C-alpha cells in the first residue's frame, strides 16, 4: 500500500489503524457487515464518498486482506465485495464504536444508510425487553431484504435467508427508523400506507419495541 500513512508505532491500536484508519475505510466495512455488495451498492450506501476515493479504499482493504472480490454465479454473474475472516473480526469493533457514537448528537438533515440502520438495531437491542421472545422478521426495505432473528436474548441480522419468517415488514428506511427510534406507532403507519405487515402482526410489533433509543450525551 505505497503512499499510505503509517504510524510507525508497535501498539496494536496503531497497527490496526495502519490498515483501517484512512477515511471511509471503516464505513466500507460497515456496509459489508451484513453481506456482499456490488460497487454500485457500496456507492449508494456511501453517497458522500467519491468514486475514486471508494475505489482506492477498496483496493487498500483488499491488499490488507480485509475485503475480497469475487464473482457471483448465475443468474447474477456479477462482481461483489465481501469481508474476509480478518474483515469480519472488525464487527465487535464497529459495534462498540456505533454504541459509543449513538449517544452523540445526530447531524440534522442526514439519513442512515440501510446497513447503518441495521447496525443501529444491533447496538440498541435490549435483551431484557426481549426476554424469552423467539421471532424471525423479514425486513423488506426497497430492493434490500434483511432477515432479523431474536432468540435466547440475542439479536442477529443478515441479508441471508434463514428460515420462514414469523412476520414480514415492508417499508422504507426512514419509516423503520421512525418506528424503532422515533416513537411512531405501527398501527398508524400501516393505516397511512407507510408500512405493510404480513404474518404475525403482534410479533412484528413486539420486535419493533426491542430497540430503545440511546440517551444523548451532553458535550
Amino acid at each position: 500500500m505505497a503512499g499510505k500513512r503509517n504510524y510507525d508505532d508497535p501498539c496494536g491500536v496503531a497497527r490496526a489503524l495502519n490498515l483501517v484508519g484512512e477515511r471511509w475505510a471503516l464505513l466500507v466495512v460497515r456496509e459489508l457487515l451484513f453481506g456482499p455488495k456490488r460497487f454500485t451498492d457500496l456507492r449508494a450506501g456511501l453517497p458522500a464518498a467519491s468514486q475514486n476515493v471508494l475505489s482506492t479504499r477498496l483496493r487498500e482493504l483488499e491488499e490488507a486482506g480485509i475485503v475480497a472480490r469475487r464473482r457471483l454465479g448465475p443468474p447474477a454473474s456479477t462482481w461483489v465485495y465481501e469481508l474476509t475472516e480478518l474483515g469480519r473480526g472488525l464487527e465487535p469493533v464497529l459495534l462498540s464504536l456505533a454504541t459509543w457514537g449513538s449517544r452523540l448528537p445526530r447531524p440534522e438533515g442526514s439519513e442512515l444508510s440501510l446497513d447503518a440502520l441495521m447496525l443501529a438495531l444491533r447496538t440498541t437491542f435490549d435483551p431484557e425487553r426481549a426476554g424469552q421472545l423467539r421471532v424471525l422478521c423479514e425486513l423488506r426495505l426497497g430492493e434490500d431484504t434483511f432477515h432479523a432473528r431474536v432468540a435466547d436474548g440475542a439479536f442477529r441480522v443478515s441479508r441471508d435467508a434463514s428460515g420462514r419468517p414469523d412476520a414480514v415488514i415492508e417499508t422504507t428506511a426512514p419509516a423503520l427508523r421512525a418506528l424503532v427510534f422515533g416513537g411512531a406507532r405501527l398501527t398508524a403507519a400501516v393505516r397511512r400506507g407507510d408500512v405493510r405487515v404480513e404474518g404475525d402482526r403482534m410479533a412484528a410489533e413486539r420486535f419493533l419495541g426491542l430497540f430503545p433509543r440511546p440517551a444523548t450525551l451532553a458535550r
Side-chain angles (χ1 to χ4, degrees):
M1 283 180 275
K4 251 184 123 275
R5 289 174 293 180
N6 190 301
Y7 288 99
D8 195 24
D9 185 324
C11 167
V13 174
R15 283 182 284 155
L17 290 176
N18 285 338
L19 301 185
V20 295
E22 294 288 339
R23 193 175 186 212
W24 299 108
L26 281 178
L27 294 185
V28 169
V29 175
R30 179 199 73 189
E31 290 296 305
L32 295 174
L33 275 181
F34 305 109
K37 281 188 170 187
R38 300 171 300 172
F39 183 81
T40 53
D41 298 325
L42 285 167
R43 285 214 69 196
L46 300 168
S50 71
Q51 182 171 329
N52 287 342
V53 168
L54 183 55
S55 296
T56 299
R57 289 295 91 82
L58 285 166
R59 184 178 66 250
E60 291 169 349
L61 291 169
E62 277 191 87
E63 292 172 357
I66 292 169
V67 166
R69 187 170 178 257
R70 69 178 172 93
R71 191 178 185 89
L72 295 178
S77 297
T78 187
W79 288 95
V80 294
Y81 293 90
E82 63 185 357
L83 295 178
T84 63
E85 183 177 354
L86 181 64
R88 288 191 294 273
L90 285 165
E91 182 174 4
V93 177
L94 284 175
L95 287 171
S96 293
L97 272 175
T99 299
W100 182 76
S102 67
R103 302 187 67 190
L104 300 176
R106 186 172 179 272
E108 295 295 328
S110 58
E111 190 53 65
L112 291 173
S113 75
L114 292 180
D115 292 79
L117 178 55
M118 293 303 111
L119 188 63
L121 296 184
R122 286 286 310 275
T123 57
T124 56
F125 171 74
D126 186 346
E128 291 189 5
R129 289 193 185 190
Q132 300 303 308
L133 177 67
R134 299 181 69 88
V135 64
L136 174 61
C137 285
E138 183 174 291
L139 306 176
R140 296 178 185 171
L141 304 168
E143 296 182 359
D144 272 276
T145 299
F146 295 87
H147 300 267
R149 183 183 297 276
V150 177
D152 303 319
F155 172 65
R156 299 294 299 179
V157 60
S158 170
R159 283 185 167 85
D160 295 331
S162 54
R164 185 175 180 179
D166 301 292
V168 175
I169 302 172
E170 186 172 353
T171 185
T172 63
L176 179 60
R177 186 172 64 82
L179 286 169
V180 293
F181 299 131
R185 305 294 297 180
L186 179 60
T187 301
V190 169
R191 189 183 304 120
R192 289 193 305 270
D194 295 338
V195 181
R196 190 167 67 88
V197 178
E198 299 176 8
D200 189 336
R201 173 79 70 90
M202 188 176 295
E205 197 151 10
R206 180 87 186 275
F207 169 80
L208 294 170
L210 300 179
F211 311 96
R213 184 172 184 169
T216 300
L217 290 174
R219 288 195 288 177

